[in-house]
PDB file of all heavy atoms in Angstrom:
ATOM      1  N   ASN A  13       9.615  -8.600  65.963  1.00  0.00           N
ATOM      2  CA  ASN A  13      10.671  -9.610  65.749  1.00  0.00           C
ATOM      3  C   ASN A  13      11.887  -9.344  66.630  1.00  0.00           C
ATOM      4  O   ASN A  13      13.049  -9.433  66.194  1.00  0.00           O
ATOM      5  CB  ASN A  13      11.095  -9.647  64.276  1.00  0.00           C
ATOM      6  CG  ASN A  13       9.969 -10.069  63.351  1.00  0.00           C
ATOM      7  OD1 ASN A  13       9.054 -10.786  63.758  1.00  0.00           O
ATOM      8  ND2 ASN A  13      10.031  -9.609  62.111  1.00  0.00           N
ATOM      9  N   SER A  16      13.663  -3.198  67.963  1.00  0.00           N
ATOM     10  CA  SER A  16      12.989  -1.914  68.141  1.00  0.00           C
ATOM     11  C   SER A  16      13.098  -1.104  66.863  1.00  0.00           C
ATOM     12  O   SER A  16      14.201  -0.900  66.329  1.00  0.00           O
ATOM     13  CB  SER A  16      13.626  -1.145  69.302  1.00  0.00           C
ATOM     14  OG  SER A  16      12.998   0.107  69.475  1.00  0.00           O
ATOM     15  N   VAL A  21       5.538   9.508  59.868  1.00  0.00           N
ATOM     16  CA  VAL A  21       4.598   9.916  58.820  1.00  0.00           C
ATOM     17  C   VAL A  21       4.541  11.436  58.805  1.00  0.00           C
ATOM     18  O   VAL A  21       4.395  12.067  59.865  1.00  0.00           O
ATOM     19  CB  VAL A  21       3.187   9.332  59.060  1.00  0.00           C
ATOM     20  CG1 VAL A  21       2.220   9.825  57.995  1.00  0.00           C
ATOM     21  CG2 VAL A  21       3.222   7.819  59.076  1.00  0.00           C
ATOM     22  N   PHE A  22       4.647  12.027  57.606  1.00  0.00           N
ATOM     23  CA  PHE A  22       4.679  13.485  57.497  1.00  0.00           C
ATOM     24  C   PHE A  22       3.842  13.939  56.315  1.00  0.00           C
ATOM     25  O   PHE A  22       3.946  13.390  55.216  1.00  0.00           O
ATOM     26  CB  PHE A  22       6.122  13.966  57.344  1.00  0.00           C
ATOM     27  CG  PHE A  22       6.254  15.450  57.126  1.00  0.00           C
ATOM     28  CD1 PHE A  22       6.255  16.317  58.208  1.00  0.00           C
ATOM     29  CD2 PHE A  22       6.356  15.982  55.841  1.00  0.00           C
ATOM     30  CE1 PHE A  22       6.367  17.688  58.014  1.00  0.00           C
ATOM     31  CE2 PHE A  22       6.471  17.344  55.634  1.00  0.00           C
ATOM     32  CZ  PHE A  22       6.473  18.197  56.728  1.00  0.00           C
ATOM     33  N   ILE A  40      -2.081   4.920  61.510  1.00  0.00           N
ATOM     34  CA  ILE A  40      -1.998   3.728  62.366  1.00  0.00           C
ATOM     35  C   ILE A  40      -0.827   2.875  61.879  1.00  0.00           C
ATOM     36  O   ILE A  40      -0.607   2.708  60.681  1.00  0.00           O
ATOM     37  CB  ILE A  40      -3.297   2.895  62.304  1.00  0.00           C
ATOM     38  CG1 ILE A  40      -4.500   3.751  62.699  1.00  0.00           C
ATOM     39  CG2 ILE A  40      -3.198   1.670  63.206  1.00  0.00           C
ATOM     40  CD1 ILE A  40      -5.822   3.027  62.527  1.00  0.00           C
ATOM     41  N   ALA A  41      -0.073   2.329  62.831  1.00  0.00           N
ATOM     42  CA  ALA A  41       0.997   1.377  62.518  1.00  0.00           C
ATOM     43  C   ALA A  41       0.548  -0.009  62.957  1.00  0.00           C
ATOM     44  O   ALA A  41       0.193  -0.214  64.125  1.00  0.00           O
ATOM     45  CB  ALA A  41       2.283   1.778  63.223  1.00  0.00           C
ATOM     46  N   LEU A  43       1.438  -3.841  63.693  1.00  0.00           N
ATOM     47  CA  LEU A  43       2.582  -4.676  64.023  1.00  0.00           C
ATOM     48  C   LEU A  43       2.422  -6.115  63.566  1.00  0.00           C
ATOM     49  O   LEU A  43       3.409  -6.854  63.472  1.00  0.00           O
ATOM     50  CB  LEU A  43       2.833  -4.650  65.537  1.00  0.00           C
ATOM     51  CG  LEU A  43       3.080  -3.286  66.177  1.00  0.00           C
ATOM     52  CD1 LEU A  43       3.302  -3.440  67.675  1.00  0.00           C
ATOM     53  CD2 LEU A  43       4.272  -2.607  65.538  1.00  0.00           C
ATOM     54  N   PRO A  53       4.813 -16.450  47.912  1.00  0.00           N
ATOM     55  CA  PRO A  53       6.063 -17.182  48.158  1.00  0.00           C
ATOM     56  C   PRO A  53       6.996 -17.213  46.953  1.00  0.00           C
ATOM     57  O   PRO A  53       8.205 -17.374  47.106  1.00  0.00           O
ATOM     58  CB  PRO A  53       5.578 -18.594  48.513  1.00  0.00           C
ATOM     59  CG  PRO A  53       4.163 -18.421  48.950  1.00  0.00           C
ATOM     60  CD  PRO A  53       3.629 -17.267  48.166  1.00  0.00           C
ATOM     61  N   GLY A  61       9.027  -3.806  56.384  1.00  0.00           N
ATOM     62  CA  GLY A  61       8.700  -2.619  57.162  1.00  0.00           C
ATOM     63  C   GLY A  61       7.333  -2.762  57.784  1.00  0.00           C
ATOM     64  O   GLY A  61       6.567  -3.663  57.420  1.00  0.00           O
ATOM     65  N   MET A  80      12.072   2.202  58.873  1.00  0.00           N
ATOM     66  CA  MET A  80      13.269   1.513  59.318  1.00  0.00           C
ATOM     67  C   MET A  80      13.119   0.041  58.946  1.00  0.00           C
ATOM     68  O   MET A  80      12.189  -0.618  59.408  1.00  0.00           O
ATOM     69  CB  MET A  80      13.450   1.649  60.841  1.00  0.00           C
ATOM     70  CG  MET A  80      14.675   0.897  61.366  1.00  0.00           C
ATOM     71  SD  MET A  80      14.828   0.999  63.174  1.00  0.00           S
ATOM     72  CE  MET A  80      15.272   2.715  63.349  1.00  0.00           C
ATOM     73  N   ALA A  91      15.008  -1.803  47.575  1.00  0.00           N
ATOM     74  CA  ALA A  91      13.829  -1.288  48.281  1.00  0.00           C
ATOM     75  C   ALA A  91      12.764  -0.760  47.317  1.00  0.00           C
ATOM     76  O   ALA A  91      13.081  -0.124  46.311  1.00  0.00           O
ATOM     77  CB  ALA A  91      14.246  -0.190  49.248  1.00  0.00           C
ATOM     78  N   GLN A  92      11.513  -1.051  47.632  1.00  0.00           N
ATOM     79  CA  GLN A  92      10.368  -0.548  46.878  1.00  0.00           C
ATOM     80  C   GLN A  92       9.315  -0.049  47.864  1.00  0.00           C
ATOM     81  O   GLN A  92       8.948  -0.769  48.789  1.00  0.00           O
ATOM     82  CB  GLN A  92       9.752  -1.638  46.001  1.00  0.00           C
ATOM     83  CG  GLN A  92      10.608  -2.094  44.856  1.00  0.00           C
ATOM     84  CD  GLN A  92       9.894  -3.097  43.967  1.00  0.00           C
ATOM     85  OE1 GLN A  92       8.764  -3.486  44.231  1.00  0.00           O
ATOM     86  NE2 GLN A  92      10.551  -3.526  42.907  1.00  0.00           N
ATOM     87  N   SER A 102      -2.941  -7.054  46.111  1.00  0.00           N
ATOM     88  CA  SER A 102      -1.489  -7.233  46.145  1.00  0.00           C
ATOM     89  C   SER A 102      -0.814  -5.880  46.345  1.00  0.00           C
ATOM     90  O   SER A 102      -1.459  -4.827  46.266  1.00  0.00           O
ATOM     91  CB  SER A 102      -0.999  -7.880  44.850  1.00  0.00           C
ATOM     92  OG  SER A 102      -1.273  -7.035  43.749  1.00  0.00           O
ATOM     93  N   ILE A 112      17.065   6.498  49.654  1.00  0.00           N
ATOM     94  CA  ILE A 112      17.778   5.898  50.784  1.00  0.00           C
ATOM     95  C   ILE A 112      18.370   7.012  51.628  1.00  0.00           C
ATOM     96  O   ILE A 112      19.045   7.906  51.130  1.00  0.00           O
ATOM     97  CB  ILE A 112      18.872   4.935  50.283  1.00  0.00           C
ATOM     98  CG1 ILE A 112      18.247   3.795  49.461  1.00  0.00           C
ATOM     99  CG2 ILE A 112      19.675   4.374  51.447  1.00  0.00           C
ATOM    100  CD1 ILE A 112      19.260   2.896  48.793  1.00  0.00           C
ATOM    101  N   CYS A 119       9.836   7.090  51.805  1.00  0.00           N
ATOM    102  CA  CYS A 119       8.831   6.848  50.761  1.00  0.00           C
ATOM    103  C   CYS A 119       8.003   8.113  50.558  1.00  0.00           C
ATOM    104  O   CYS A 119       7.511   8.700  51.527  1.00  0.00           O
ATOM    105  CB  CYS A 119       7.909   5.689  51.156  1.00  0.00           C
ATOM    106  SG  CYS A 119       8.736   4.086  51.242  1.00  0.00           S
ATOM    107  N   VAL A 139      19.038  -0.409  34.543  1.00  0.00           N
ATOM    108  CA  VAL A 139      19.648  -0.135  33.245  1.00  0.00           C
ATOM    109  C   VAL A 139      20.244   1.272  33.243  1.00  0.00           C
ATOM    110  O   VAL A 139      19.539   2.244  33.520  1.00  0.00           O
ATOM    111  CB  VAL A 139      18.605  -0.267  32.113  1.00  0.00           C
ATOM    112  CG1 VAL A 139      19.249   0.012  30.768  1.00  0.00           C
ATOM    113  CG2 VAL A 139      17.974  -1.657  32.140  1.00  0.00           C
ATOM    114  N   LEU A 146      21.308   3.772  23.959  1.00  0.00           N
ATOM    115  CA  LEU A 146      21.869   2.941  22.886  1.00  0.00           C
ATOM    116  C   LEU A 146      20.827   1.967  22.349  1.00  0.00           C
ATOM    117  O   LEU A 146      20.751   1.723  21.140  1.00  0.00           O
ATOM    118  CB  LEU A 146      23.088   2.184  23.417  1.00  0.00           C
ATOM    119  CG  LEU A 146      23.782   1.233  22.426  1.00  0.00           C
ATOM    120  CD1 LEU A 146      24.350   2.022  21.249  1.00  0.00           C
ATOM    121  CD2 LEU A 146      24.884   0.440  23.136  1.00  0.00           C
ATOM    122  N   ILE A 185      10.570 -13.271   2.461  1.00  0.00           N
ATOM    123  CA  ILE A 185      11.420 -12.143   2.874  1.00  0.00           C
ATOM    124  C   ILE A 185      10.567 -10.984   3.391  1.00  0.00           C
ATOM    125  O   ILE A 185      10.885 -10.359   4.413  1.00  0.00           O
ATOM    126  CB  ILE A 185      12.296 -11.683   1.687  1.00  0.00           C
ATOM    127  CG1 ILE A 185      13.319 -12.764   1.344  1.00  0.00           C
ATOM    128  CG2 ILE A 185      12.999 -10.365   2.014  1.00  0.00           C
ATOM    129  CD1 ILE A 185      14.116 -12.483   0.082  1.00  0.00           C
ATOM    130  N   LEU A 192       9.531  -8.708  12.016  1.00  0.00           N
ATOM    131  CA  LEU A 192      10.571  -8.036  12.800  1.00  0.00           C
ATOM    132  C   LEU A 192      10.184  -6.596  13.102  1.00  0.00           C
ATOM    133  O   LEU A 192      10.409  -6.097  14.219  1.00  0.00           O
ATOM    134  CB  LEU A 192      11.895  -8.090  12.037  1.00  0.00           C
ATOM    135  CG  LEU A 192      13.133  -7.549  12.767  1.00  0.00           C
ATOM    136  CD1 LEU A 192      13.334  -8.276  14.090  1.00  0.00           C
ATOM    137  CD2 LEU A 192      14.368  -7.681  11.894  1.00  0.00           C
ATOM    138  N   MET A 195       7.419  -6.686  15.787  1.00  0.00           N
ATOM    139  CA  MET A 195       7.979  -7.125  17.063  1.00  0.00           C
ATOM    140  C   MET A 195       8.789  -6.014  17.726  1.00  0.00           C
ATOM    141  O   MET A 195       8.672  -5.766  18.926  1.00  0.00           O
ATOM    142  CB  MET A 195       8.869  -8.352  16.846  1.00  0.00           C
ATOM    143  CG  MET A 195       9.403  -8.968  18.134  1.00  0.00           C
ATOM    144  SD  MET A 195      10.680 -10.200  17.844  1.00  0.00           S
ATOM    145  CE  MET A 195      12.030  -9.148  17.301  1.00  0.00           C
ATOM    146  N   LYS A 213      -0.225  -7.086  28.845  1.00  0.00           N
ATOM    147  CA  LYS A 213      -0.282  -8.522  28.552  1.00  0.00           C
ATOM    148  C   LYS A 213      -0.533  -8.771  27.063  1.00  0.00           C
ATOM    149  O   LYS A 213       0.056  -9.684  26.473  1.00  0.00           O
ATOM    150  CB  LYS A 213      -1.374  -9.177  29.397  1.00  0.00           C
ATOM    151  CG  LYS A 213      -1.107  -9.132  30.894  1.00  0.00           C
ATOM    152  CD  LYS A 213      -2.249  -9.732  31.684  1.00  0.00           C
ATOM    153  CE  LYS A 213      -1.992  -9.648  33.184  1.00  0.00           C
ATOM    154  NZ  LYS A 213      -3.121 -10.186  33.972  1.00  0.00           N
ATOM    155  N   PHE A 218       1.550 -10.504  21.692  1.00  0.00           N
ATOM    156  CA  PHE A 218       1.791 -10.336  20.260  1.00  0.00           C
ATOM    157  C   PHE A 218       3.282 -10.180  19.955  1.00  0.00           C
ATOM    158  O   PHE A 218       3.737 -10.551  18.860  1.00  0.00           O
ATOM    159  CB  PHE A 218       1.000  -9.147  19.731  1.00  0.00           C
ATOM    160  CG  PHE A 218      -0.449  -9.462  19.479  1.00  0.00           C
ATOM    161  CD1 PHE A 218      -1.440  -8.995  20.337  1.00  0.00           C
ATOM    162  CD2 PHE A 218      -0.814 -10.246  18.398  1.00  0.00           C
ATOM    163  CE1 PHE A 218      -2.775  -9.302  20.111  1.00  0.00           C
ATOM    164  CE2 PHE A 218      -2.147 -10.555  18.161  1.00  0.00           C
ATOM    165  CZ  PHE A 218      -3.129 -10.088  19.022  1.00  0.00           C
ATOM    166  N   LEU A 223       7.633 -12.820  17.227  1.00  0.00           N
ATOM    167  CA  LEU A 223       8.978 -13.389  17.338  1.00  0.00           C
ATOM    168  C   LEU A 223       8.987 -14.826  16.815  1.00  0.00           C
ATOM    169  O   LEU A 223       9.892 -15.228  16.067  1.00  0.00           O
ATOM    170  CB  LEU A 223       9.440 -13.355  18.794  1.00  0.00           C
ATOM    171  CG  LEU A 223      10.790 -14.031  19.091  1.00  0.00           C
ATOM    172  CD1 LEU A 223      11.915 -13.352  18.304  1.00  0.00           C
ATOM    173  CD2 LEU A 223      11.084 -14.006  20.583  1.00  0.00           C
ATOM    174  N   LEU A 233      11.517 -20.020   4.539  1.00  0.00           N
ATOM    175  CA  LEU A 233      12.426 -19.618   3.467  1.00  0.00           C
ATOM    176  C   LEU A 233      13.520 -20.658   3.258  1.00  0.00           C
ATOM    177  O   LEU A 233      13.889 -20.978   2.116  1.00  0.00           O
ATOM    178  CB  LEU A 233      13.039 -18.256   3.794  1.00  0.00           C
ATOM    179  CG  LEU A 233      14.020 -17.676   2.776  1.00  0.00           C
ATOM    180  CD1 LEU A 233      13.340 -17.493   1.424  1.00  0.00           C
ATOM    181  CD2 LEU A 233      14.583 -16.350   3.272  1.00  0.00           C
ATOM    182  N   TYR A 239      14.056 -27.001  -1.157  1.00  0.00           N
ATOM    183  CA  TYR A 239      13.198 -27.638  -2.166  1.00  0.00           C
ATOM    184  C   TYR A 239      13.750 -27.390  -3.569  1.00  0.00           C
ATOM    185  O   TYR A 239      13.815 -28.303  -4.405  1.00  0.00           O
ATOM    186  CB  TYR A 239      11.777 -27.092  -2.046  1.00  0.00           C
ATOM    187  CG  TYR A 239      10.806 -27.690  -3.041  1.00  0.00           C
ATOM    188  CD1 TYR A 239      10.103 -28.858  -2.753  1.00  0.00           C
ATOM    189  CD2 TYR A 239      10.596 -27.079  -4.287  1.00  0.00           C
ATOM    190  CE1 TYR A 239       9.219 -29.403  -3.668  1.00  0.00           C
ATOM    191  CE2 TYR A 239       9.717 -27.620  -5.207  1.00  0.00           C
ATOM    192  CZ  TYR A 239       9.030 -28.782  -4.895  1.00  0.00           C
ATOM    193  OH  TYR A 239       8.164 -29.324  -5.808  1.00  0.00           O
ATOM    194  N   SER A 249       2.222 -25.143  -7.723  1.00  0.00           N
ATOM    195  CA  SER A 249       1.227 -24.091  -7.962  1.00  0.00           C
ATOM    196  C   SER A 249       1.383 -22.951  -6.960  1.00  0.00           C
ATOM    197  O   SER A 249       1.816 -23.157  -5.827  1.00  0.00           O
ATOM    198  CB  SER A 249      -0.186 -24.672  -7.853  1.00  0.00           C
ATOM    199  OG  SER A 249      -0.468 -25.042  -6.521  1.00  0.00           O
ATOM    200  N   THR A 251      -0.992 -21.230  -5.546  1.00  0.00           N
ATOM    201  CA  THR A 251      -1.976 -21.349  -4.465  1.00  0.00           C
ATOM    202  C   THR A 251      -1.477 -22.254  -3.342  1.00  0.00           C
ATOM    203  O   THR A 251      -1.525 -21.887  -2.164  1.00  0.00           O
ATOM    204  CB  THR A 251      -3.310 -21.890  -5.007  1.00  0.00           C
ATOM    205  OG1 THR A 251      -3.758 -21.051  -6.073  1.00  0.00           O
ATOM    206  CG2 THR A 251      -4.358 -21.929  -3.910  1.00  0.00           C
TER     207      THR A 251
END
Side-chain angles (χ1 to χ4, degrees):
N13 297 333
S16 179
V21 177
F22 176 84
I40 303 174
L43 302 180
M80 178 183 290
Q92 292 184 358
S102 63
I112 299 173
C119 294
V139 180
L146 179 63
I185 292 173
L192 186 57
M195 185 191 71
K213 295 177 182 178
F218 280 106
L223 175 61
L233 180 60
Y239 180 88
S249 68
T251 305

